[in-house]
Amino acid sequence: MKHMDGSPLPSRTGWTPEHPQHGVLSDSVDRALLNELFPQIKAIFKPQIVKYSNTNTKIDTQNDGEHGEKLDWKVSSYMEVDEANGGAMQRNVTVDPALLELCQPLLDQCNAAFTAWYEQLHGSGSIKNLV
C-alpha cells in the first residue's frame, strides 16, 4: 500500500498493508467548495455559551480564574448532537440547522471519500454513513 502520491508507507509497529492505521485521501474534497463555504461558515458560526464551575484545584489562577469560579465557556457550534452517545452532555447545547444545511455538501463528500477508503479495507457495507 502507498500514499496517494505514490510514496511508500512507513513501517510501524502494528501496521500492515492490510490494516493501515491511517490513510491520506488527497484531493478528496473539492477545494473550490471549501473556498466557497469557508466565508459562509464564518458568517453564520455562533459558538454555544456553556456555563460551568471551574473544578480544577491546580488551576493557574493568573490566567484561568479561581477554583470554583463560575465561567462562561464558548464551545463549538453544532450541526448535530447525538444524545445516545452523550453528545449533549453540557446543558442547553443546541444544534444549528442552517450550519448543517450549508455544510451538507461538504459532509457528503467527506462521507463518500471515507466510506470508499474504509470499505477497501473492511469490505462492502462495513460502515454506515458517518454524518
Side-chain angles (χ1 to χ4, degrees):
M1 185 169 254
K2 297 181 179 184
H3 287 289
M4 297 295 283
D5 67 0
S7 64
L9 289 170
S11 177
R12 294 185 188 115
T13 305
W15 179 90
T16 65
E18 297 79 28
H19 297 95
Q21 295 176 346
H22 304 283
V24 176
L25 302 174
S26 299
D27 299 323
S28 58
V29 175
D30 181 30
R31 289 175 193 249
L33 177 63
L34 290 175
N35 288 333
E36 176 187 332
L37 285 178
F38 189 67
Q40 295 175 61
I41 292 169
K42 281 180 63 175
I44 67 170
F45 184 84
K46 295 178 287 256
Q48 303 280 317
I49 305 297
V50 177
K51 296 190 179 297
Y52 77 103
S53 180
N54 192 342
T55 58
N56 183 351
T57 57
K58 297 180 182 181
I59 193 159
D60 177 353
T61 56
Q62 289 183 337
N63 295 313
D64 298 320
E66 298 288 333
H67 173 70
E69 180 181 1
K70 303 292 184 200
L71 301 171
D72 287 349
W73 181 30
K74 290 183 180 178
V75 297
S76 189
S77 184
Y78 298 97
M79 293 182 273
E80 296 179 305
V81 175
D82 186 351
E83 306 228 4
N85 292 323
M89 294 170 59
Q90 299 288 342
R91 287 185 281 168
N92 302 320
V93 169
T94 59
V95 297
D96 185 344
L99 186 59
L100 178 59
E101 183 179 342
L102 178 64
C103 291
Q104 193 62 58
L106 174 62
L107 296 171
D108 291 341
Q109 282 188 21
C110 292
N111 191 58
F114 184 81
T115 298
W117 173 79
Y118 192 88
E119 286 184 342
Q120 283 180 343
L121 300 174
H122 302 283
S124 179
S126 58
I127 189 170
K128 295 180 182 179
N129 283 346
L130 300 175
V131 293

